Amino acid sequence: ITVDVVAAELGEVSETVTNTRAGTVKACQRAKLAPPAGGQIARLPVSKGDRVEKGQVLLELWNDDLRADLVLAERDKAASLARKEEICVAARVARREADRVNRLLERKLISVEQAERSDGAADAQEAACRAAAEQIKVSQARIDGARARLERTLLRAPFDGTVAEINGELGEFVTPSPVGIPTPPAVDIVDNSCIYISAPIDEVDAPRVKTGMRARVSLDAFKDRRFPAQVRRVAPYVLDLEKQARTVEVEAEIESAGDAALLPGYSADIEVIIAERTEVLRIPTRALVEADKVYVLEGGRVALRAVQTGIGNWEYTEITDGLETGQRVVVSIDREGLADGVEADASRD
């Protein structure tokens, strides 16, 4: 028979853990925003794809009435300041008059009753001055309340990012989502400056994964590339969304994407490196038979040989005993007629 063979060679072997289902590329910061109050869209100063800064207005509802309330509150404060100035000036004058009267009382030029009336008038004016000062605080509180109500009609960017989606047009009415009923966000903003991968790891493998471990990320969008990454989080709970399939969510942050534009939503796979060895004898993992045997092609015949294995992954497995460098092992182990002792030739490209 004709078989496919590969020579056992020295190289790098990693023991890895991979996700059970496809993971997802996510942005470190993404916000699906909607105004806290319903209303009519009066201003929409951004478009899809725009780069926005933290605090920038993304959407504004009709709020002329609230702006008028704010102006009224500000003018009321200005009037309160003027009244306070008037009352406090009168209080200072009354206190100076009371001091003069008390000096006349010491010289016994006026009666005690006149001095008491003068002190009482001064005290009353000073109390009115303090009340006017408190009234200014009340006016400022009204301004703060008016500004807060006005702010509820503005949708601002919570961080620097890019506008990914806008659901609404000028003149349309928007309403907050009812409790428990998700609705499309008015504005979806994404920060692509930080990208990570979230993927489920089987509960059996999860205890071996630790924060800070090195990892490799592969994406369907970039089939021939692997991106270096690092585990940044292992979820402290188990998901049981599917019957008989319990997983732990693992997040890995890509260290360098190079010139690749990784977009949130891409499917991705995480390969967490548990252990790694270099310059060890290795063979393709698909060459193993029953996990501890291989077929070796020698002298025109196939021989089934027991081996001892070390660490390995889906691609390569370390061989610690039973093979030597350069020996040819059969990788087409499902070839019809393959058995110990049969005559065989190596296939040629």
Side-chain angles (χ1 to χ4, degrees):
I1 62 173
T2 301
V3 294
D4 299 331
V5 297
V6 172
E9 61 180 2
L10 297 179
E12 180 182 290
V13 179
S14 302
E15 182 179 4
T16 60
V17 168
T18 59
N19 46 287
T20 56
R21 298 190 309 276
T24 304
V25 176
K26 294 185 178 181
C28 293
Q29 295 188 99
R30 181 172 186 174
K32 298 181 179 182
L33 308 171
Q40 186 180 25
I41 299 176
R43 193 162 68 95
L44 199 58
V46 296
S47 302
K48 293 180 183 178
D50 285 357
R51 184 72 184 171
V52 296
E53 297 179 353
K54 181 179 180 179
Q56 182 176 337
V57 175
L58 308 176
L59 178 148
E60 182 176 356
L61 302 179
W62 184 86
N63 54 20
D64 290 355
D65 54 341
L66 298 179
R67 291 189 180 277
D69 290 342
L70 177 59
V71 171
L72 178 62
E74 291 174 340
R75 292 183 177 176
D76 181 67
K77 180 182 178 181
S80 297
L81 285 169
R83 286 194 296 271
K84 174 182 178 292
E85 184 178 359
E86 176 188 6
I87 293 172
C88 291
V89 168
R92 289 194 293 272
V93 171
R95 176 53 62 191
R96 286 196 295 269
E97 179 64 23
D99 292 341
R100 284 194 295 269
V101 170
N102 285 327
R103 286 195 296 270
L104 292 174
L105 178 62
E106 291 174 357
R107 297 165 59 186
K108 298 182 180 180
L109 296 176
I110 62 172
S111 66
V112 174
E113 290 79 5
Q114 287 177 301
E116 289 176 347
R117 282 196 299 271
S118 181
D119 282 336
D123 290 343
Q125 287 291 341
E126 289 173 346
C129 179
R130 291 193 296 272
E134 292 299 321
Q135 185 60 42
I136 292 175
K137 295 180 182 179
V138 173
S139 298
Q140 182 60 52
R142 290 197 182 102
I143 291 175
D144 294 341
R147 284 177 177 165
R149 290 190 292 275
L150 181 62
E151 190 65 26
R152 287 173 62 85
T153 66
L154 303 176
L155 198 60
R156 297 184 184 272
F159 48 79
D160 296 348
T162 302
V163 177
E165 192 70 33
I166 297 177
N167 295 298
E169 299 291 342
L170 288 176
E172 290 185 350
F173 282 84
V174 295
T175 57
S177 298
V179 178
I181 304 177
T183 58
V187 180
D188 187 358
I189 181 173
V190 178
D191 178 12
N192 287 332
S193 63
C194 174
I195 294 293
Y196 72 96
I197 313 300
S198 177
I201 299 290
D202 191 276
E203 62 175 341
V204 175
D205 297 323
R208 306 169 66 194
V209 180
K210 306 296 181 184
T211 302
M213 282 185 169
R214 293 174 52 241
R216 292 187 288 260
V217 172
S218 56
L219 297 92
D220 291 341
F222 304 92
K223 293 184 179 297
D224 299 327
R225 298 181 61 178
R226 289 189 182 181
F227 301 92
Q230 188 177 60
V231 176
R232 67 173 224 168
R233 176 179 177 268
V234 179
Y237 54 87
V238 176
L239 297 175
D240 55 352
L241 302 180
E242 298 181 5
K243 293 181 178 179
Q244 306 303 322
R246 297 176 184 266
T247 59
V248 175
E249 202 73 14
V250 171
E251 296 176 1
E253 189 168 343
I254 292 178
E255 296 174 353
S256 175
D259 58 351
L262 304 184
L263 302 180
Y266 275 158
S267 61
D269 294 311
I270 299 175
E271 190 177 5
V272 181
I273 300 173
I274 305 300
E276 193 170 32
R277 296 178 185 169
T278 59
E279 292 301 306
V280 296
L281 187 63
R282 68 179 187 178
I283 63 171
T285 300
R286 66 181 187 276
L288 289 173
V289 180
E290 298 176 0
D292 61 353
K293 297 182 180 66
V294 294
Y295 285 110
V296 178
L297 182 60
E298 293 178 328
R301 290 185 179 275
V302 172
L304 184 62
R305 180 173 298 180
V307 295
Q308 292 184 5
T309 60
I311 65 173
N313 55 32
W314 60 272
E315 189 174 11
Y316 289 105
T317 296
E318 176 189 10
I319 301 299
T320 59
D321 190 28
L323 284 179
E324 295 180 358
T325 304
Q327 284 189 293
R328 297 185 298 171
V329 296
V330 177
V331 292
S332 55
I333 61 174
D334 57 348
R335 186 66 50 84
E336 184 178 357
L338 181 65
D340 185 25
V342 302
E343 294 183 357
D345 290 325
S347 64
R348 303 185 184 278
D349 295 333

